[in-house]
Amino acid sequence: MQNVPVVIVGGGLSGLYAAFLLEQKGIDYILIEARDRLGGRITVAKSSVGQNVSGQSVDHEKSNDGFDLGPSWFWPEYQPQLSSLIETLGLSCFAQFEAGDMMVERGASELPIRAQGYQSSPPSMRLVGGMTALTDALYARLDAKRIVTGQTVRRLTKTGQHIKIDSEYRSEHINAGQIITYQAQHVLLALPPRLAVSNIVFEPTLPQELAIEWQETSTWMAPHAKYVAVYDSPFWRDNGLSGAARSAIGPLTEIHDASLVEGEGAVFGFFGVPVHVRQSVSVDMLKAHCRAQMVRLFGVQADKPKAEYIKDWAQDSFTAMPADVIGTGQHAVAPPSKPKTGEWQDCLTGCGSEWSEAFPGYVAGAIDAASKAVQSL
């Protein structure tokens, strides 16, 4: 049994940032991640890899070639804590391209029309290399021996002044099914509240009111799916288009330019098709419908992307629960991050993005929640 002061459950941005802060304070910890990769909902596709759909960060090497399949933007003007971290880590950013007209599809019997585009205020910013540049930079500053992937935390048991953490190797692992036990004085839950209360057994049980609040907190991205099409260049800009579009037809309802700073052009779109509908057809069929929409909006040059990616978060068991799939997909109101009574008081804290009161579900929320959780130790 490994005994450490703190165990972090989850290796997304909030877990990695919590680990970063703990190392700065000289506090020992173990971070346990169920996936075989780090980053959580922050993930990019690398077109140079030539994969069909990865939905995962390929490695921790620096690259300018990153197309976000999860969150894409941040806003420095009203997210100063995140902006300061990005600056500290020496990461480069650039403004979302919005110059030019946007395209609008109003009905199946009408041709798309050009409309005046708009400029976000404050501007939406992107990271060079995609949002995984942030998680990769944090990981590079951590002690890799404290990071465990491919293990799923199954049970937390409070025994006196300690918490026993039972973690199971995933089915793909050579030691699949083996239980590894850790012991800590404090556990940071760096995952969505709904996943924590649904997938982890707490002994003794959590206070009922708190468990209900966590269960009712929807997970951002969980019902959503994104499509990315990559081209040799952002050819739509030559026609005075921003790459943005809105559609009442679909399958994509909201589309944006996702091009690199230099080189390849790309667009991404959010599906407006309900989860059960898009899961009833093949990925190839979904891509065909998306390409047809790209042609309607941007012309025949859009018919043959050099790479295509679809990431359906509703099919990601480390993100979505059945309740998320039927949800609205809106950012939830943050629930309490810790028990106020009972045996779990003062030794269990939620630090995933949904627990941030300021930015629940956003990238900045992961930084905010992790910072407050570590400060409270």
Side-chain angles (χ1 to χ4, degrees):
M1 180 186 296
Q2 297 188 54
N3 193 342
V4 291
V6 179
V7 163
I8 304 169
V9 182
L13 177 57
S14 60
L16 292 170
Y17 188 57
F20 177 76
L21 294 175
L22 289 173
E23 290 202 13
Q24 287 188 325
K25 296 179 72 169
I27 299 175
D28 197 11
Y29 68 91
I30 294 289
L31 184 153
I32 306 170
E33 166 57 44
R35 292 179 173 95
D36 292 325
R37 64 169 182 87
L38 300 169
R41 285 168 281 178
I42 290 181
T43 179
V44 301
K46 304 276 189 177
S47 69
S48 58
V49 177
Q51 294 180 351
N52 195 19
V53 179
S54 70
Q56 298 184 358
S57 178
V58 177
D59 52 39
H60 294 292
E61 296 177 3
K62 290 184 179 179
S63 171
N64 292 332
D65 178 9
F67 302 101
D68 290 300
L69 298 174
S72 302
W73 302 310
F74 69 103
W75 296 269
E77 290 188 34
Y78 70 95
Q79 296 175 340
Q81 187 180 25
L82 172 60
S83 181
S84 176
L85 174 62
I86 288 170
E87 213 171 286
T88 299
L89 295 174
L91 303 178
S92 299
C93 62
F94 61 101
Q96 169 69 30
F97 184 83
E98 294 180 322
D101 291 339
M102 64 186 298
M103 297 298 295
V104 179
E105 288 189 308
R106 293 176 174 168
S109 60
E110 302 177 37
L111 292 174
I113 62 170
R114 293 175 71 123
Q116 184 176 356
Y118 62 88
Q119 303 288 316
S120 299
S121 182
S124 303
M125 302 298 291
R126 293 169 54 198
L127 289 180
V128 174
M131 199 59 81
T132 53
L134 176 56
T135 50
D136 289 351
L138 286 171
Y139 174 76
R141 288 161 174 78
L142 300 179
D143 181 354
K145 296 190 295 294
R146 295 175 174 178
I147 311 294
V148 177
T149 58
Q151 285 188 27
T152 303
V153 172
R154 299 297 188 189
R155 184 182 301 269
L156 300 180
T157 306
K158 184 70 168 26
T159 55
Q161 299 300 310
H162 296 90
I163 301 169
K164 185 163 73 79
I165 299 99
D166 291 329
S167 181
E168 181 181 12
Y169 278 115
R170 285 182 52 211
S171 59
E172 293 86 350
H173 198 277
I174 190 170
N175 296 321
Q178 180 181 348
I179 300 295
I180 307 298
T181 300
Y182 306 88
Q183 185 171 275
Q185 285 82 55
H186 203 106
V187 170
L188 297 179
L189 298 171
L191 70 169
R194 182 172 282 169
L195 265 72
V197 75
S198 299
N199 292 344
I200 299 174
V201 175
F202 293 86
E203 294 183 350
T205 58
L206 293 171
Q208 184 178 15
E209 184 177 346
L210 181 71
I212 291 173
E213 287 186 273
W214 287 7
Q215 180 64 51
E216 291 180 347
T217 303
S218 60
T219 300
W220 176 240
M221 290 300 295
H224 297 291
K226 288 181 75 170
Y227 167 82
V228 179
V230 182
Y231 303 91
D232 287 324
S233 66
F235 59 84
W236 48 90
R237 298 181 186 179
D238 297 334
N239 298 322
L241 295 174
S242 66
R246 299 293 183 272
S247 175
I249 306 170
L252 307 173
T253 55
E254 181 183 334
I255 296 166
H256 298 274
D257 187 298
S259 305
L260 304 180
V261 178
E262 295 179 358
E264 292 174 315
V267 289
F268 85 84
F270 291 104
F271 280 88
V273 180
V275 174
H276 70 278
V277 174
R278 64 178 186 255
Q279 292 183 0
S280 68
V281 298
S282 68
V283 171
D284 287 342
M285 182 63 70
L286 282 177
K287 288 181 179 179
H289 283 296
C290 290
R291 287 196 302 273
Q293 184 176 14
M294 294 299 105
V295 172
R296 294 197 307 266
L297 294 170
F298 304 119
V300 293
Q301 283 180 278
D303 188 40
K304 290 182 170 53
K306 61 188 294 185
E308 294 177 283
Y309 307 91
I310 289 178
K311 176 60 179 178
D312 192 333
W313 290 98
Q315 296 188 48
D316 188 324
S317 61
F318 298 115
T319 299
M321 300 294 294
D324 289 305
V325 171
I326 60 175
T328 62
Q330 301 301 309
H331 288 282
V333 175
S337 62
K338 58 177 66 178
K340 296 179 181 177
T341 60
E343 293 193 50
W344 290 108
Q345 188 178 9
D346 300 326
C347 64
L348 181 72
T349 307
C351 69
S353 179
E354 278 74 16
W355 273 296
S356 166
E357 293 182 7
F359 305 107
Y362 289 90
V363 173
I367 300 303
D368 174 53
S371 177
K372 289 178 178 174
V374 172
Q375 286 174 7
S376 70
L377 293 179

